[in-house]
Amino acid sequence: MITKRNDLIQNQQYTWIDVREIDKDDISILTDEYLISAELLADIMDADEQSRIEREDDYTVIICRLPSAEEDEDKPLERTSIPLGMILFPDKIITICRGDSVVIDDFARHRFRQCPVETMEGFVLSILGRAALVYIRFLKYINRQKDLVEEQLQKSIMNYELIQLLQIQKSLVYLTTGLTDNEVLLEKLQKTPYFRLHGEEEMEFLEDAITDNKQAIAMANIYSDILTGTMDAFASVIGNNMNVIMKRLTVISLSLMFPTFITGFFGMNVAIPGMEGKWAWLFCLGICVIVAVIGLFIISDRKNKSVITAGLGEKRGRRKRKDRAEKTPSEIKYLRRKKHTLEGED
């Protein structure tokens, strides 16, 4: 879809041609009417294209990475970055995006403040600065969702919560990659002769965009390190729970060995006391039960069992008090999404 926009500010000196979610007809218009090479369009459509700036005969090409606005219903916590191509002509600027982005949508809806959009170079800086702020917003949202998933994971360790954490980790990787590419591009814009700034306002805005982009990279790295440590901790918890279960099964198996020994001993043609009576089997059964209970009492860790029981009682008490508390809107949304996913699996 190709849209011409001349209403960013009053007395706009250039034309902004907004191209998003392009199809074959749009590609034909771009190559025939605007004389954009097909190789360049293929690079912009490549989901793995890196940020860069280069000069062609009639125009300057700037490719950056923006956070995508598309949300997958099957992976609601997975956020990615997509390439955006900005082609600067003497009298117009063409932005080409293979999908949709929050950043471009904000400018199309005039949701921007204090951005130097008077010139095409200032418009490019405005997009990069707005992208850094949207990255920060996405990272904060992902961090809140991570905390919510951790709370649910502490209550019940299920595959759904682990998959959610994996989606969050993938999102952090995608966003960090996009931020790193944009950082390289912003540093090149300070030095390249193909991109000339007009006035101190644009220079200050470029420095602010670099600062915001570095802040977003630092946040992404911190959140990624915390998430990695969290997943390692939960993996250790799962392994520890498995060890506890195996220990209990081992204790039960050993306790059943004692009555098996007694029944095997009396099964070797050995006379059972009181075998002439009709209740002799109760005598053997009673001995087996008593021996099993005594053996279980001896080989079980009574001290750890009492500590675990006390801890479980305290944890259940806290859980009941917490369940009585009112759930936040984020928790309600998360539980609805979980219910929808589980129903789909059934």
Side-chain angles (χ1 to χ4, degrees):
M1 181 177 64
I2 300 177
T3 306
K4 294 183 178 181
R5 305 184 186 276
N6 295 303
D7 56 349
L8 285 177
I9 57 174
Q10 295 181 355
N11 300 324
Q12 185 173 334
Q13 301 298 323
Y14 60 92
T15 301
W16 173 30
I17 302 176
D18 182 12
V19 184
R20 282 180 283 177
E21 300 177 352
I22 64 176
D23 52 17
K24 294 182 178 180
D25 296 334
D26 297 333
I27 294 176
S28 300
I29 295 175
L30 292 174
T31 54
D32 298 338
E33 182 176 348
Y34 297 102
L35 303 178
I36 300 175
S37 63
E39 293 79 6
L40 177 58
L41 293 177
D43 292 340
I44 297 175
M45 293 299 103
D46 186 5
D48 300 324
E49 188 67 21
Q50 294 183 344
S51 302
R52 69 176 188 271
I53 179 173
E54 58 185 23
R55 177 69 181 177
E56 298 292 340
D57 295 334
D58 300 328
Y59 49 80
T60 302
V61 180
I62 299 175
I63 299 178
C64 65
R65 298 195 66 87
L66 302 181
S68 175
E70 299 176 356
E71 181 175 330
D72 192 352
E73 295 181 356
D74 298 331
K75 301 177 181 179
L77 296 181
E78 187 170 320
R79 294 289 189 272
T80 60
S81 62
I82 56 177
L84 171 71
M86 294 177 285
I87 304 175
L88 281 68
F89 289 90
D91 58 343
K92 59 180 173 291
I93 179 173
I94 303 176
T95 59
I96 304 174
C97 188
R98 63 187 300 268
D100 197 5
S101 176
V102 179
V103 179
I104 300 299
D105 192 60
D106 288 344
F107 282 92
R109 297 172 182 263
H110 298 85
R111 293 193 296 233
F112 58 90
R113 295 179 182 178
Q114 299 178 354
C115 292
V117 296
E118 290 80 7
T119 63
M120 290 187 292
E121 290 79 5
F123 180 70
V124 172
L125 297 179
S126 301
I127 290 179
L128 293 173
R130 187 70 177 179
L133 297 178
V134 174
Y135 272 118
I136 292 175
R137 188 174 68 192
F138 276 18
L139 290 171
K140 291 181 178 179
Y141 169 77
I142 290 174
N143 187 53
R144 289 195 300 268
Q145 295 298 316
K146 177 185 71 67
D147 295 338
L148 183 59
V149 173
E150 288 180 2
E151 292 180 3
Q152 298 296 325
L153 194 57
Q154 291 176 3
K155 297 179 182 179
S156 62
I157 298 178
M158 298 179 63
N159 292 334
Y160 179 80
E161 280 77 14
L162 297 176
I163 293 174
Q164 296 288 300
L165 289 180
L166 180 60
Q167 292 180 9
I168 293 174
Q169 191 174 33
K170 292 174 63 177
S171 299
L172 291 175
V173 173
Y174 290 139
L175 297 181
T176 303
T177 303
L179 287 167
T180 304
D181 289 346
N182 287 350
E183 182 183 21
V184 176
L185 175 62
L186 288 170
E187 293 177 353
K188 287 183 178 179
L189 293 180
Q190 291 181 313
K191 305 174 183 178
T192 179
Y194 305 143
F195 191 82
R196 296 180 179 179
L197 301 179
H198 302 81
E200 295 182 357
E201 182 182 2
E202 292 185 358
M203 296 179 63
E204 292 178 357
F205 195 87
L206 176 57
E207 294 177 356
D208 293 340
I210 294 175
T211 302
D212 293 337
N213 197 82
K214 290 182 178 179
Q215 177 185 351
I217 292 176
M219 291 174 58
N221 292 332
I222 292 173
Y223 294 159
S224 180
D225 293 341
I226 293 175
L227 181 60
T228 301
T230 301
M231 295 186 69
D232 293 340
F234 277 113
S236 300
V237 170
I238 294 173
N240 184 60
N241 292 340
M242 181 63 66
N243 293 335
V244 171
I245 293 173
M246 295 303 298
K247 178 182 177 181
R248 291 177 181 175
L249 292 176
T250 303
V251 170
I252 294 174
S253 300
L254 291 176
S255 64
L256 293 178
M257 289 178 60
F258 299 106
T260 303
F261 174 76
I262 295 175
T263 54
F265 178 77
F266 284 110
M268 298 169 58
N269 296 325
V270 177
I272 302 176
M275 61 181 304
E276 294 81 3
K278 61 179 180 179
W279 304 107
W281 62 275
L282 289 177
F283 176 77
C284 182
L285 181 61
I287 293 177
C288 294
V289 172
I290 293 172
V291 171
V293 172
I294 294 174
L296 181 63
F297 182 77
I298 293 174
I299 64 178
S300 62
D301 194 346
R302 299 187 301 276
K303 183 178 180 180
N304 289 340
K305 184 178 180 181
S306 61
V307 172
I308 292 173
T309 304
L312 289 176
E314 182 181 356
K315 184 176 180 181
R316 289 172 182 171
R318 291 198 305 265
R319 184 177 298 174
K320 290 180 180 179
R321 291 193 298 269
K322 187 174 182 180
D323 291 340
R324 287 195 296 266
E326 185 178 358
K327 291 182 173 61
T328 62
S330 299
E331 291 177 336
I332 295 175
K333 183 178 179 181
Y334 172 82
L335 294 175
R336 288 178 179 174
R337 188 167 63 235
K338 178 179 177 180
K339 179 180 179 182
H340 177 72
T341 303
L342 295 177
E343 289 177 352
E345 293 178 354
D346 293 339

